[in-house]
């Protein structure tokens, strides 16, 4: 299920250089941030980010390293506290003026995150990696979880690895298991931070194919930081270009790749053109 | 310069009569070492957690304790607890209890640092992944960090324990009738220090060497299983020698994990 794509005013704001959302944008985004900022040791890594992802939508975040893409994902995930700004999740206010609200406790479980490095716990096998969190955090039983784990692994094409040791898996297999592990918590929003950076292109394509399937079949919203422009052009519903902590463009992929409006995106596309 | 006396004649007849006395001493050595090792293994964990605390009034005393016991000689610690602590507290501590307190206090400092190194070697992303899966801090510590940290540090822990077993010989300086003390007495009585101290050394070796072999075996198993994320050891003589050194292992390159664990979760 894919909701109507938002239309964006592609003309960067004269003051901030940020692409602004037009009135035509529907306000039913699963995730919406407004003016989210984050600094580390006095350095403004993220500056008043306005960002949204609808259910069943893939937003791909691109830009140079240090431009604020991963920081935005980490702020949305709750791994970094925002200095300022608002975040809405599933229509409810979870952050206001940089402060977490009561709804955050209830809704943070709807966010899953996959990391660049393989974050499977190596002292457990695949099944234990998948079931420990729902067992401990949600109180589900082993019997319930075995069936769900099998289904989650089937979703990512890893059903035959239920009892495998994580150390026996390849990089691509580990990332697919990591996606299955996130699915066990039934997320509605999946954040992926350069999850294919360490993978060969064919393996990366397999992993990203899993995300596209999840978006289409489960209606999961995905925010993906990647440097894989082939994937971005094919699977993204929106491309968000980051530069110096600002979202400079937030446009459909055809616009991003064929008609970039900012010199920064033009230069970035030229540099990574596939 | 005196030459080595190659004509020394070993009198092996002193060994038989000496054995019962030496085994009596070994019993005390093993008892003290075992109690010390078990107590330190338990006490080292809360000390390691305190050492990593973000709360300064908890972290600083823990750090001070560790540094005091790491930076002073074990013999001085034994003497201080044996002679000074009873005077300070105004109580009469039995000698055996005093030495167990001193040795435990010493080993606990080292064990806590070993635990801390193990816990901090768990990659921060693993902790963040656990947070994203809604595990709370205690669950992360119990199920993610401690099992990996313990596996990582088993060779170091075993090595520390073997060292402690040998270091118990220092208690002979306080008149405790351990293996070294009994050997010293027997050497004086028989005038055969060569035979007696060689026998004492062999007894220590017969216990410590299998332990170091076991340590090396565990280390090889951990590396082979890949659970420590370390490259396989070098082959040939260099690798063999490296594997034979208890507690030696490849450098861990992970980022500190507890920084993330101890960080506020946003609410």
């Amino acid at each position: 299920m894919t909701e109507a794509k938002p239309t964006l005013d592609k003309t960067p704001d004269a003051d901030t250089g940020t692409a602004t959302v037009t009135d035509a944008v529907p306000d039913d985004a699963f995730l919406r941030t407004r003016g989210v900022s984050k600094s580390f040791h006095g350095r403004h890594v993220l500056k008043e980010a306005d960002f949204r992802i609808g259910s069943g939508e893939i937003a791909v975040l691109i830009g140079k390293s240090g431009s604020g893409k991963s920081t935005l994902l980490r702020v949305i995930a709750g791994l970094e506290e925002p200095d300022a700004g608002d975040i809405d999740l599933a229509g409810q206010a979870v952050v206001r003026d940089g402060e977490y609200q009561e709804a955050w406790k209830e809704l943070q479980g709807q966010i899953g995150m996959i990391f660049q490095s393989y974050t499977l716990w190596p002292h457990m096998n695949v099944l234990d990696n998948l079931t420990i969190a729902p067992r401990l955090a949600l109180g589900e039983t082993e019997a319930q979880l075995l069936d769900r784990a099998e289904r989650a692994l089937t979703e990512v094409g890893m059903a035959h690895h239920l009892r495998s040791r994580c150390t026996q898996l390849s990089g691509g297999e580990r990332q697919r298991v990591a996606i299955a592990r996130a699915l066990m918590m039934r997320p509605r929003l999946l954040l992926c931070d350069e999850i294919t950076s360490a993978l060969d292109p064919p393996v990366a394509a397999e992993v990203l194919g899993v995300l596209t399937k999840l978006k289409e079949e489960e209606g999961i919203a995905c925010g993906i930081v990647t440097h894989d422009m082939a994937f971005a052009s094919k699977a993204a519903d929106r491309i968000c270009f980051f530069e110096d902590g600002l979202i400079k463009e937030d446009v459909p992929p055809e616009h991003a790749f064929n008609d970039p409006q900012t010199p920064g995106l033009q230069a970035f596309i030229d540099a990574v053109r596939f | 310069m005196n030459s080595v006396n190659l004509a020394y004649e070993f009198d092996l007849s002193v060994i038989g009569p000496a054995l019962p006395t030496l085994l009596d001493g070994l019993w005390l050595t093993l008892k003290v070492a075992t109690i010390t090792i078990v107590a330190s293994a338990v006490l080292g964990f809360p000390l390691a957690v305190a050492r990593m605390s973000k709360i300064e009034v908890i972290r600083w005393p823990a750090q001070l304790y560790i540094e005091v016991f790491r930076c002073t000689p074990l013999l001085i610690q034994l003497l201080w607890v044996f002679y000074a602590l009873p005077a300070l507290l105004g109580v009469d501590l039995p000698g055996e209890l005093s030495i167990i307190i001193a040795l435990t206090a010493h080993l606990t400092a080292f064990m806590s640092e070993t635990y801390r190194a193990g816990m901090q070697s768990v990659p921060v992303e693993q902790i963040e992944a656990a947070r994203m899966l809604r595990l709370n801090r205690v669950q992360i510590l119990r199920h993610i960090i401690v099992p990996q940290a313990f596996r990582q540090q088993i060779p170091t822990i075993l090595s520390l324990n073997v060292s402690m077993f040998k270091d118990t010989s220092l208690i002979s300086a306080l008149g405790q009738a351990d293996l070294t003390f009994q050997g010293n007495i027997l050497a004086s009585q028989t005038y055969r220090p060569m035979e007696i101290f060689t026998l004492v050394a062999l007894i220590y070796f017969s216990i410590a060497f299998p332990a170091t072999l076991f340590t090396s075996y565990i280390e090889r198993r951990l590396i082979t299983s890949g659970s420590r994320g370390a490259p396989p050891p070098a082959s040939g003589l260099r690798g063999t020698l490296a594997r034979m050194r208890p507690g030696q292992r490849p450098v861990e390159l992970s980022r500190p994990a507890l920084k993330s664990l101890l960080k506020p979760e946003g609410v």
Side-chain angles (χ1 to χ4, degrees), chain A residues 197-240:
Chain A
S197 298
L199 304 178
D200 295 335
V203 180
E206 278 179 29
V207 172
L208 293 171
V210 169
L211 296 176
T212 310
K213 183 178 157 199
L214 289 173
K215 163 212 155 180
E216 289 169 353
E217 295 181 3
E218 307 291 333
I220 292 176
C222 295
I224 303 172
V225 171
T226 182
H227 294 295
D228 184 342
M229 292 302 120
F231 169 78
S233 67
K234 277 189 287 188
D237 295 300
R238 291 191 357 264
I239 300 283
C240 301

Side-chain angles (χ1 to χ4, degrees), chain A residues 103-120:
Chain A
W104 170 248
K105 286 179 184 169
E106 184 191 335
L107 293 172
Q108 62 174 324
Q110 300 197 4
I111 304 175
M113 188 162 183
I114 326 267
F115 299 83
Q116 178 181 1
S117 59
Y118 314 128
T119 54
L120 299 185

Side-chain angles (χ1 to χ4, degrees), chain A residues 115-175:
Chain A
F115 299 83
Q116 178 181 1
S117 59
Y118 314 128
T119 54
L120 299 185
W121 301 307
H123 58 295
M124 302 178 191
N125 66 15
V126 169
L127 178 62
D128 290 339
N129 261 277
L130 263 63
T131 56
I132 187 169
R135 184 162 53 83
L136 296 177
L138 306 180
E140 297 186 34
T141 63
E142 291 283 357
Q144 296 170 316
L145 290 171
L146 180 62
D147 182 49
R148 280 185 51 212
E150 284 173 339
R151 277 188 279 131
L153 286 173
T154 303
E155 284 274 347
V156 298
M158 292 287 291
H160 53 297
H161 281 293
L162 187 67
R163 309 270 177 192
S164 296
R165 286 171 58 183
C166 297
T167 49
Q168 295 171 328
L169 303 178
S170 69
E173 288 173 334
R174 289 184 200 196
Q175 285 300 43

Side-chain angles (χ1 to χ4, degrees), chain B residues 117 121 152-153 219 223 228-232 247-254:
Chain B
S121 73
Q152 288 254 16
Q153 298 299 326
E219 186 176 8
I223 291 172
R228 301 168 67 201
Q248 295 299 307
R249 54 194 174 75
V251 175
E252 292 135 11
L253 298 173
S254 309

Side-chain angles (χ1 to χ4, degrees), chain A:
Chain A
M1 137 182 127
T2 307
E3 67 175 26
K5 289 181 183 176
T7 56
L8 298 172
D9 176 357
K10 292 187 293 159
T11 307
D13 183 274
D15 296 328
T16 64
T18 311
T20 52
V21 181
T22 68
D23 291 339
V25 173
D27 203 23
D28 59 349
F30 183 78
L31 166 81
R32 177 179 286 281
T33 75
R34 282 182 297 270
V36 169
S37 300
K38 179 67 184 174
S39 301
F40 293 106
H41 309 294
R43 179 172 170 252
H44 295 285
V45 178
L46 192 62
K47 300 167 189 167
E48 300 189 1
D50 293 341
F51 179 70
R52 64 179 298 283
I53 311 178
S55 294
E57 184 180 44
I58 290 181
V60 171
L61 289 65
I62 63 172
K64 291 180 186 171
S65 296
S67 58
K69 319 179 291 290
S70 295
T71 302
L72 178 59
L73 288 197
R74 291 176 63 80
V75 166
I76 293 167
L79 295 173
E80 305 286 355
E81 288 182 65
D83 297 335
D86 301 338
I87 300 176
D88 293 348
L89 203 60
Q92 294 192 53
V94 292
V95 175
R96 283 291 174 267
D97 296 327
E99 298 292 328
Y100 285 92
Q101 308 295 301
E102 200 58 32
W104 170 248
K105 286 179 184 169
E106 184 191 335
L107 293 172
Q108 62 174 324
Q110 300 197 4
I111 304 175
M113 188 162 183
I114 326 267
F115 299 83
Q116 178 181 1
S117 59
Y118 314 128
T119 54
L120 299 185
W121 301 307
H123 58 295
M124 302 178 191
N125 66 15
V126 169
L127 178 62
D128 290 339
N129 261 277
L130 263 63
T131 56
I132 187 169
R135 184 162 53 83
L136 296 177
L138 306 180
E140 297 186 34
T141 63
E142 291 283 357
Q144 296 170 316
L145 290 171
L146 180 62
D147 182 49
R148 280 185 51 212
E150 284 173 339
R151 277 188 279 131
L153 286 173
T154 303
E155 284 274 347
V156 298
M158 292 287 291
H160 53 297
H161 281 293
L162 187 67
R163 309 270 177 192
S164 296
R165 286 171 58 183
C166 297
T167 49
Q168 295 171 328
L169 303 178
S170 69
E173 288 173 334
R174 289 184 200 196
Q175 285 300 43
R176 283 191 281 168
V177 171
I179 294 171
R181 186 174 66 179
L183 292 179
M184 291 292 287
M185 302 300 283
R186 300 190 177 96
R188 303 307 305 153
L189 169 64
L190 209 49
L191 305 172
C192 305
D193 189 4
E194 299 192 43
I195 61 172
T196 57
S197 298
L199 304 178
D200 295 335
V203 180
E206 278 179 29
V207 172
L208 293 171
V210 169
L211 296 176
T212 310
K213 183 178 157 199
L214 289 173
K215 163 212 155 180
E216 289 169 353
E217 295 181 3
E218 307 291 333
I220 292 176
C222 295
I224 303 172
V225 171
T226 182
H227 294 295
D228 184 342
M229 292 302 120
F231 169 78
S233 67
K234 277 189 287 188
D237 295 300
R238 291 191 357 264
I239 300 283
C240 301
F241 173 65
F242 283 68
E243 191 173 43
D244 298 329
L246 292 165
I247 300 177
K248 288 291 184 73
E249 292 201 39
D250 185 348
V251 292
E254 57 271 22
H255 289 292
F257 292 109
N258 301 327
D259 186 22
Q261 296 296 301
T262 55
L265 180 55
Q266 179 69 62
F268 186 80
I269 296 293
D270 289 343
V272 299
R273 191 168 290 281
F274 47 92

